[in-house]
Each structure stands twice: as structure tokens, then as C-alpha cells.
């Protein structure tokens, strides 16, 4: 019998997110100089900062290489940011070794085929509701929100509520 995804949330201590299609809606604006501009949801950012402040390991593994993305996420307190990652298993294995992770303690949110190999390894694979069908098929939770529209906030808030770390008196500290 399949257990509910809610039963997996208490043991999650590490959150890994893709960027494009998860923290963004997957769209880019192409500037005349070729720079790709992405838009991120501020509520997702607040949830990421809160998760960091509450002691969860928050990590990013993305195929994109935009340094503005790195700056934004680093300003939220995220230390493990892997950009230009085309073999996401390599970065995942580095995180497993660095933090001595067990699969049942790891949530990974992805939206497309490059995320699939890592999602097969973690205890809590999840995705936005506009993810590729293959990703939805391997996910234990599909957010009711789309990528870039609050899916990250959705899953972080659920984890922190179940763990008793989401309260009415917030103190996210920004540098």
C-alpha cells in the first residue's frame, strides 16, 4: 500500500530545487546582448529564506548558468548552488557525501526530463503541476501551483508546518 506524501514530510531535512520551470515559469526574455532574463516568485523566495533560517539544507541544481540567479539565491542564504549542471546526478552525489544524506530525508522538485534521474533516487520527488508527464509520473507530490507561481512555497510551507517550524511569528533575516 502506497503511503501518503504527508507521511514523508516529517523526515525531510534537505530540499533540492531545479530553477527553470520550478523557481521560474520556464520562460526567458532574451536581451539584445543574448542575456536570458528570468522571473522568480517573491513568495517562493520568502519560503526558501525561511527554510534556510529554520535549519533545512536548501540546495539548487540547475542546467542554467545565469549568475544573476546565483546572486538572488545566495542572498536568500542558499550555499549549495550548482549552475550549469547537465549531469545532475554528479551534484546530487556531492550533496549526499557532503551532508551524509539518506534518500528518505531528501526532497527534490523538478519539472522536466533532466531532473528525472535524481528524482528516482530521493525519498520525496515532487513537481509543479505543469511539469512534463514523465516527471509527474515519478513524483510523490504534484503541487497545485505551476512553476514560478508558488510551487516552491507550497511544498516548503507544508514541510515546515508538519515539522512545527511554520509559525505566525516569522523572522526571516535578509543580508
Amino acid at each position: 500500500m502506497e503511503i501518503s506524501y504527508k507521511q514523508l514530510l516529517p523526515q525531510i531535512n534537505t530540499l533540492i530545487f531545479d530553477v527553470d520551470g520550478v523557481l521560474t515559469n520556464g520562460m526567458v526574455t532574451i536581451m539584445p546582448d543574448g542575456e536570458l532574463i528570468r522571473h522568480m516568485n517573491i513568495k517562493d523566495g520568502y519560503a526558501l529564506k525561511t527554510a534556510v533560517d529554520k535549519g533545512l539544507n536548501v540546495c539548487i541544481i540547475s542546467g542554467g548558468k545565469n549568475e544573476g540567479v546565483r546572486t538572488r539565491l545566495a542572498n536568500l542564504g542558499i550555499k549549495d548552488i550548482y549552475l550549469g549542471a547537465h549531469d545532475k546526478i554528479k551534484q546530487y552525489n556531492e550533496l549526499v557525501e557532503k551532508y551524509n544524506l539518506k534518500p528518505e530525508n531528501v526532497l527534490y522538485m523538478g519539472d522536466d526530463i533532466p531532473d528525472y534521474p535524481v528524482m528516482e533516487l530521493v525519498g520525496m520527488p515532487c513537481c509543479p503541476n505543469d511539469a512534463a508527464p514523465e516527471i509527474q509520473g515519478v513524483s510523490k507530490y504534484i503541487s497545485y501551483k505551476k512553476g514560478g507561481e508558488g510551487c516552491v512555497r507550497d511544498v516548503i510551507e507544508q514541510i515546515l508546518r508538519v515539522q512545527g517550524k511554520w509559525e505566525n511569528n516569522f523572522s526571516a533575516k535578509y543580508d
Side-chain angles (χ1 to χ4, degrees):
M1 179 166 138
E2 185 87 16
I3 66 170
S4 165
Y5 80 92
K6 291 261 188 192
Q7 295 171 284
L8 303 173
L9 300 180
Q11 56 197 350
I12 299 296
N13 65 20
T14 301
L15 312 173
I16 305 173
F17 297 99
D18 179 31
V19 173
D20 294 319
V22 174
L23 285 165
T24 76
N25 67 3
M27 304 289 286
V28 293
T29 300
I30 304 169
M31 301 305 289
D33 65 358
E35 182 181 4
L36 303 177
I37 305 295
R38 292 158 171 85
H39 299 263
M40 291 186 176
N41 186 298
I42 202 75
K43 290 178 183 169
D44 284 346
Y46 183 81
L48 288 164
K49 179 64 176 144
T50 301
V52 168
D53 289 352
K54 297 297 181 178
L56 296 178
N57 299 320
V58 180
C59 314
I60 304 297
I61 303 177
S62 176
K65 298 186 261 190
N66 184 291
E67 287 302 314
V69 168
R70 182 186 309 277
T71 300
R72 164 69 175 146
L73 297 171
N75 286 339
L76 295 174
I78 300 171
K79 303 211 182 317
D80 297 296
I81 303 170
Y82 298 94
L83 301 181
H86 299 292
D87 176 10
K88 294 183 178 192
I89 293 284
K90 178 182 175 198
Q91 286 76 24
Y92 172 73
N93 286 334
E94 285 180 28
L95 291 167
V96 166
E97 187 172 320
K98 180 177 182 177
Y99 294 109
N100 194 28
L101 300 176
K102 295 183 173 105
E104 61 268 19
N105 302 127
V106 180
L107 174 142
Y108 184 100
M109 181 174 262
D111 72 304
D112 211 348
I113 304 304
D115 301 306
Y116 193 93
V118 176
M119 292 178 76
E120 287 188 303
L121 299 176
V122 301
M124 177 77 184
C126 60
C127 67
N129 75 5
D130 58 343
E134 296 87 350
I135 299 304
Q136 290 187 17
V138 74
S139 292
K140 291 186 179 173
Y141 174 68
I142 300 172
S143 175
Y144 69 100
K145 299 276 193 172
K146 292 181 179 180
E149 296 182 10
C151 63
V152 171
R153 165 73 176 256
D154 169 36
V155 73
I156 290 174
E157 187 173 336
Q158 287 191 62
I159 291 166
L160 293 178
R161 281 187 187 280
V162 165
Q163 294 181 0
K165 297 176 182 176
W166 187 270
E167 60 240 1
N168 292 330
N169 183 12
F170 295 98
S171 60
K173 310 255 186 319
Y174 293 89
D175 295 330

